[in-house]
Amino acid sequence: MIQQEKMVFCTLFDSNYLDRGLVLYESMRKHIGSFRLYIFAFDEKAFEILSHMKLKYVVLLSIEEIITEALRQVRQERTRTEFCWTCTPFVIGHVLQTYHEKLCTYIDADTFFFSSPAGAIEEILAHGCSVGLVEHRFERDSMYGSCIFDNGKYCIQFNTFLNDNAGMQVLKEWEEDCLNWCYYRCEDGRLGDQKYTDKWKQSYSCVHESENLGVGAAPWNLHQYRISRNKDREIYMEYRGRKYPLVFYHFEGMKYLDNGSIYLSIWKPEAGGMGRKIRLIYGAYIRRVLSVRMFLARAYHVTFEQMQVDHTLYFEGERSFKQLCKEQGVLDGSRKWFYNRRNNIVFVNKKAVKLR
């Protein structure tokens, strides 16, 4: 398989995620070079803007192109987020079957590439497999079991399927599962589109679990890694003596608050070295998102006020100093409160990003 045939991707998002989707595209242009990205626009506004932009290497599609009668029915029963998750295996299948691509990798719109994913995709092929999965890589502490139970072992963020019998068999099963049940709650061992993947390794011999620590870095596992940069300013992730270039980071859970700040949703902001990791990884991403937002406002009059979240949800209640001290004791509670504010909150304005 030639290099260009491997660099085929798909993603889906609506106008609320237009800023992040475009930043993802920018990172692909910088680090991948030649590729094909199938973007499924989830609403008319996103489709119109992307159509006008005429992005190189992008095949733009409306989500309506994949809607079957069965999908149309569940669309009425599920939230926008749940329906988006429901459609994930269907957009992958549409790319493989309609455009006859040899493989396709689904990527979440809120991911950002720091280097090429070619090695991660080649790893799947080298093992003779047809499906690629990436672990959450939760810390193996006392909470590991509950994290797996609640969220699943694998994350839907960078998922490769080959257009062969084995790959299509797994994909068709996933389509059926998501069509039957895909909700934003834990129920009978299921959660959205995600926990279905936990059974694939046991059921199919064609499924490969990525060994590359450079894929799958995210807020829930960032505290486990040491971070470094080489002379070319490339970022490397190191864990237990294994070192890989950072391929992509999944900026899941970032919330833009109504007081002008951003909540990062880092799971353990008190971990050592977290400040530097945030400056290197989140600093680059947030600056690009803000730049794209200014472009969209200027060129298309698009704003994102509707995405703002009440800041008191992240400063008061269960995250307040009083409540944390009550639950964890004065020492641990005050430490948690301090680092949550220091490392999990970014203050922004139109001209600058303040990373503490």
Side-chain angles (χ1 to χ4, degrees), residues 135-154 195 198 209 220-221 223-224 239-240 267-268:
E135 282 188 272
H136 276 107
R137 296 200 183 98
F138 295 121
E139 184 175 8
R140 292 183 179 270
D141 57 9
S142 60
M143 297 301 294
Y144 179 75
S146 63
C147 287
I148 295 293
F149 181 81
D150 291 341
N151 302 280
K153 182 178 182 180
Y154 304 103
K195 289 194 69 179
D198 284 4
E209 183 180 295
W220 50 81
N221 59 36
H223 60 279
Q224 298 183 80
Y239 177 68
R240 292 183 177 177
W267 278 34
K268 293 193 175 181

Side-chain angles (χ1 to χ4, degrees), residues 94-111:
H94 188 79
V95 170
L96 294 175
Q97 294 178 303
T98 303
Y99 293 89
H100 308 292
E101 298 286 5
K102 293 188 177 180
L103 65 73
C104 181
T105 300
Y106 168 80
I107 43 178
D108 258 359
D110 54 359
T111 55

